[in-house]
Amino acid sequence: MTVVGREGTLVGTATSASEGALSHAELERRPRLRPGDLAEYVPGVAATQHSGSGKANQYFLRGFNLDHGTDFAQSVDGMPVNLRSHGHGQGYADLNFLIPELVDGLVYRKGPYAADVGDFSSAGSVEYRLVDAMPKDFAQLEAGSNGYARVVGAASHAIGKGTLTWGIEAQDYDGPWRDIGEDVRKRNALLRYVAPVGPGQLTLTAMGYDNRWNSPDQIPQRAVDSGLIDRLGSIDTTLGGDSSRHSLSGGWRGDAFGGTFDASAYAIRYRLSLWSNFTYFLDDPVRGDQFRQFDARTVTGFALRQAWQGNTWRVRAGMDGRRDDIGRVGVERTQARAFVAPVRDDRVDERSVDAWMDAQWSLTQALRLQLGGRYDRYTFDVDALQPENGGRTSAGIASFKGELAWRVAEPTELYLDWGQGFHSNDARGTTIRVDPVSGDPANRVTPLVRSRGAELGLRIAREGRWQTTLALWRLDLASELLFVGDAGTTEASRPSERRGVELGAYWFADPRARLELEVAYTQARFGDDDPAGDRIPGAVPWVVSAAWSSDWAQGWHSSARVRYLGAAPLIEDDGVRSASSTMVSLAVGKRWQRWNLELDVLNALDSDDHDIEYFYASRLPGEADEGVEGLHIHAFEPRSYRLRATYSF
């Protein structure tokens, strides 16, 4: 199945109301602040930031504060983005290695209903697809507020029977922060070769990414209120990071074994050093609480897919394998980025293999049934700095799925979905025995955590004119322990229940104007009885997005987007809540035969709302030893302008 975007109706092919696809043209229509904004093309997803530009975004979806990726699986042409047993957080998903102009489109699914997606996909999943060939070769120069500068270029060339595509990106950025110049120095490169081989197509891709930056982390609201700093200030001005990611991947897709066969493999070399300080002088009143998290790994894996199809049926089967060979992962105490003392410094070898299958039948011309299942097996091997925290564990989990689609009328389809899912926990938490800081006994985490979801959906669509989707859903997550990378130990969590409704409405009948509205509401609660309360901290109840784009006469084009995040509980009894936030961004441009000139206005209303808010204890100089519980914020970047000139050749 080839999907070109929302203008192509999915009635008759989709298995849920909450799946969809976007084309390259649709991705181009929105102004973007950072590469992580690509995730916000998935309806109901919010991608925020609480630190520097080189760090993975903070994601929100279906009542989850997903941290940097847990329960939201992301991949690029079959390569996983989420990193297991990561130095900063489980499922860490950093999109900074993507050059947005070279993303051909994306496909998204929400809920644990798809048999071919496993780890981290309980809330949803998205696959970004790279271009096989540039529609037009181009060179682009971009400059903007606060020292923003970016150069991008890409071109395709015929080599033998195939096409070689290359792309490069260089970005520098100082940022608007008072006490810190972000000093972002990001470099990206891509080389991709696509050629026919036998009855199919061969693809080879090499990608390289390197970045370093300084971090304006979240700050205590009381420091702003007292005048110690302003909302763009910092407490610790020596924070930041550097990261790199280099990958080689390849695949072949074509006719084989009586159907369609797809085989792929990848190798990724990844590095991260990240300096943070969230509590300032709470733990160490002399040197401060700064710490460095580090991660150095090689990820290798493969995927095999086979599909057979008849007039009224389709069967798919697949197998995946992955190894995360993590040479060093851990956390250490630092002061002004200088080493003070180790907390954890481990070597981890984490492996997984899975097998899955699904089958779809057309029971009648209007009724389709799909059943599927998968089995995942994990092995965790930890060589710890403290030998008692090392060891080897293994776990397996089976998941079953079912979908029913009923075409009520030609433009209308109803869906009923049910599925089991899971996410893996940090390998270090599966073998831990002793808290590395206090020396107290520590509880081990559940290696694989079960989730269960169900959804009732509706899709009404007229191809090339409009599309509307509505989904009522529920997702339950089992009780678990979590490994906290910031502390190097585990903490208890509780079973949770989330239910919600999502509406998507898209109108694109007039080439001069396109409109879209996406509304997601979630009620998120803990599922047990606890006097602390039943609210889930950070569970955003409302995510609303509205966008408009147009193509005017004589090559003029424009777009606007509004994103609203509702107020969320920050503690279990709902006694402290974050403020809601609204951001508006605009873009206008003009196209000539070879030139395109565009202006983006980000945070166009100059809102002083917050990207994110937390509530916890920290200590500033002069405060009591036990610190002060309070709100910690990361402000929107003020209104900024970016002018972009593109030459096509």
Side-chain angles (χ1 to χ4, degrees), residues 28-33 37 142 546-550 552 557-563 582-589 597-606 638-644:
E28 285 186 314
R29 289 193 176 98
R30 290 185 187 176
R32 286 187 300 270
L33 177 63
D37 289 353
E142 190 172 2
W548 161 78
S549 63
S550 61
W552 305 102
H557 56 94
S558 57
S559 65
R561 182 174 184 254
V562 181
R563 189 201 69 186
T582 303
M583 180 178 284
V584 177
S585 294
L586 309 172
V588 62
L597 189 64
E598 298 167 294
L599 175 67
D600 291 348
V601 185
L602 305 169
N603 190 11
L605 301 183
D606 202 23
R639 177 172 52 229
S640 60
Y641 303 89
R642 294 180 182 176
L643 183 63
R644 181 168 53 254

Side-chain angles (χ1 to χ4, degrees), residues 365-382:
Q365 288 187 340
L367 196 64
R368 302 190 312 279
L369 173 67
Q370 180 166 302
L371 300 174
R374 62 181 292 124
Y375 181 76
D376 293 79
R377 188 71 184 176
Y378 280 68
T379 301
F380 309 92
D381 197 337
V382 180

Side-chain angles (χ1 to χ4, degrees), residues 75-80 97-98 127-132 164 189-194 201-208 245-252 262-269 299-303:
S75 63
V76 175
D77 274 2
M79 281 193 301
F97 70 93
L98 278 179
E127 180 178 3
Y128 306 96
R129 296 178 174 175
L130 300 173
V131 296
D132 287 340
L164 180 69
L190 176 144
L191 192 64
R192 185 172 172 88
Y193 183 68
V194 178
Q201 177 174 283
L202 175 71
T203 303
L204 298 173
T205 306
M207 302 178 73
R245 184 188 188 276
H246 299 86
S247 66
L248 181 64
S249 61
W252 183 88
D262 192 334
S264 62
Y266 57 85
I268 305 167
R269 188 70 167 163
V299 185
T300 53
F302 70 89

Side-chain angles (χ1 to χ4, degrees), residues 115-138:
D116 59 331
V117 185
D119 202 0
F120 303 124
S121 65
S122 293
S125 65
V126 58
E127 180 178 3
Y128 306 96
R129 296 178 174 175
L130 300 173
V131 296
D132 287 340
M134 297 302 302
K136 290 184 178 180
D137 302 343
F138 75 92

Side-chain angles (χ1 to χ4, degrees), residues 251-279:
W252 183 88
R253 177 181 174 86
D255 297 334
F257 310 113
T260 302
F261 179 65
D262 192 334
S264 62
Y266 57 85
I268 305 167
R269 188 70 167 163
Y270 172 84
R271 296 286 186 277
L272 173 72
S273 285
L274 184 65
W275 289 268
S276 304
N277 187 348
F278 304 134
T279 52

Side-chain angles (χ1 to χ4, degrees), residues 140-337:
Q140 181 175 290
L141 179 63
E142 190 172 2
S145 307
N146 305 307
Y148 181 85
R150 182 171 179 258
V151 177
V152 187
S156 294
H157 309 275
I159 304 292
K161 295 182 179 180
T163 301
L164 180 69
T165 299
W166 60 266
I168 57 171
E169 175 191 35
Q171 178 191 315
D172 292 355
Y173 186 46
D174 293 331
W177 316 102
R178 298 285 189 261
D179 307 316
I180 289 179
E182 278 201 64
D183 196 25
V184 174
R185 297 293 182 267
K186 182 171 73 169
R187 306 294 183 260
N188 268 318
L190 176 144
L191 192 64
R192 185 172 172 88
Y193 183 68
V194 178
V197 174
Q201 177 174 283
L202 175 71
T203 303
L204 298 173
T205 306
M207 302 178 73
Y209 160 72
D210 189 80
N211 196 0
R212 62 178 176 85
W213 67 95
N214 299 321
S215 292
D217 270 359
Q218 70 256 26
I219 54 176
Q221 181 67 58
R222 65 184 185 276
V224 178
D225 295 340
S226 69
L228 178 63
I229 56 175
D230 69 15
R231 70 185 192 93
L232 300 178
S234 298
I235 299 298
D236 187 339
T237 59
T238 63
L239 308 179
D242 60 73
S243 183
S244 64
R245 184 188 188 276
H246 299 86
S247 66
L248 181 64
S249 61
W252 183 88
R253 177 181 174 86
D255 297 334
F257 310 113
T260 302
F261 179 65
D262 192 334
S264 62
Y266 57 85
I268 305 167
R269 188 70 167 163
Y270 172 84
R271 296 286 186 277
L272 173 72
S273 285
L274 184 65
W275 289 268
S276 304
N277 187 348
F278 304 134
T279 52
Y280 317 116
F281 294 94
L282 181 63
D283 298 329
D284 188 334
V286 177
R287 290 176 296 198
D289 299 348
Q290 187 184 105
F291 58 93
R292 170 182 173 251
Q293 292 164 308
F294 50 89
D295 193 298
R297 72 176 66 204
T298 300
V299 185
T300 53
F302 70 89
L304 304 174
R305 303 282 187 270
Q306 179 68 43
W308 299 272
Q309 188 162 343
N311 292 331
T312 60
W313 58 272
R314 184 197 69 190
V315 175
R316 301 187 306 162
M319 181 178 184
D320 303 270
R322 173 173 170 177
R323 179 187 181 188
D324 287 66
D325 183 6
I326 310 172
R328 285 191 70 198
V329 59
V331 58
E332 60 191 21
R333 301 296 181 191
T334 58
Q335 183 180 16
R337 301 198 189 187

